[in-house]
Amino acid sequence: MDALDRLAEPGVDLLHRVDTLLAAGAPEGHRVWPLLRRMQVLPGEALRSFLDLRAAPLATAGHAVRRHVHGYDHACAALTDPVLWSGSAALAYGQSRATLLRHLDEGPESLVGRLEATAGYADALADWVEGSRLAVARALAEVIGSAEAVAVVAATSVSGASTGAGPSPPGRAAAAEVGARVLAVLCVAYDGAENLLRQWSPSLAESSWRPAAARFRPEPGGGAPGGRPTRVGW
């Protein structure tokens, strides 16, 4: 349980009240309006969705992906074993083997490179979730103890607010302020996620097979060590 978990219950209750007041509108020109248009969701709904984000599954996924790298290490080791034969067939095999080794584990575009990038992206997302949850928890702690929160609770505790009558202007203004504070932090958090995706996307692209340009084939009746090879299309 982290700081956001401890504040989740009072935070959800407060923002549910905020949603009730904002459903009837917010003061004209208030800074909550552009945040509402951007997020396309009321503050309470936004918070409830964010509470489901957890860092642990992402960190676990990163570790699981890295375990697959060992399998590629074994395959590469088998491909680098010396070949005790020669001739044009051996040359063709060597060329194919070198191409496969490059595809498996040579540079960021290899299979191993993509696995490591995927694991790194999972780790970065886990760090983003952890940091963002802390930022949202701090924002909730501030608004729960604020004068605006008291005004929101007071406005939604009267019978008129629960039966659909228009809330009092002070209650609407307080709800707009609380909602703006929370939505602003959530916007920053989601901007961070989008930045991570842009940063990591090139490294997460599919690793395409890059065949060798040509291979060697023994001439008819040939194939003895030192025989002249013939180049053919791959």
Side-chain angles (χ1 to χ4, degrees):
M1 176 178 287
D2 61 8
L4 186 56
D5 288 324
R6 290 189 288 270
L7 292 169
E9 184 175 351
V12 167
D13 177 72
L14 173 62
L15 290 180
H16 173 71
R17 296 169 183 270
V18 167
D19 288 356
T20 299
L21 295 174
L22 290 182
E28 184 178 354
H30 196 280
R31 64 187 181 113
V32 76
W33 283 114
L35 294 169
L36 288 170
R37 285 191 290 268
R38 181 178 179 187
M39 296 291 287
Q40 295 292 302
V41 67
L42 290 170
E45 294 180 64
L47 176 63
R48 286 191 294 273
S49 298
F50 190 83
L51 289 173
D52 293 332
L53 291 176
R54 300 286 175 174
L58 292 164
T60 300
H63 294 316
V65 169
R66 285 192 176 90
R67 285 198 295 269
H68 288 292
V69 173
H70 298 301
Y72 287 93
D73 289 340
H74 293 314
C76 291
L79 287 169
T80 54
D81 288 341
V83 177
L84 301 178
W85 47 296
S86 61
S88 56
L91 290 173
Y93 172 75
Q95 187 179 55
S96 298
R97 180 173 64 171
T99 301
L100 181 56
L101 279 170
R102 287 194 297 271
H103 182 60
L104 291 177
D105 188 10
E106 186 177 295
E109 295 184 5
S110 67
L111 294 179
V112 169
R114 292 298 194 239
L115 281 175
E116 292 175 344
T118 301
Y121 181 52
D123 291 343
L125 283 176
D127 291 340
W128 166 78
V129 171
E130 187 174 350
S132 298
R133 285 178 65 89
L134 180 59
V136 173
R138 288 172 176 167
L140 281 181
E142 291 178 0
V143 298
I144 288 173
S146 67
E148 289 82 4
V150 174
V152 167
V153 172
T156 53
S157 296
V158 298
S159 59
S162 61
T163 57
S168 62
R172 290 174 57 189
E177 184 60 28
V178 171
R181 292 183 190 180
V182 174
L183 287 179
V185 175
L186 289 173
C187 279
V188 171
Y190 287 120
D191 282 345
E194 292 178 357
N195 289 336
L196 282 177
L197 182 58
R198 284 193 293 267
Q199 175 187 342
W200 285 90
S201 285
S203 301
L204 301 175
E206 181 180 356
S207 180
S208 302
W209 170 253
R210 294 165 293 170
R215 68 176 180 181
F216 292 99
R217 183 180 66 187
E219 293 182 347
R228 183 179 179 183
T230 301
R231 295 175 63 88
V232 298
W234 182 255

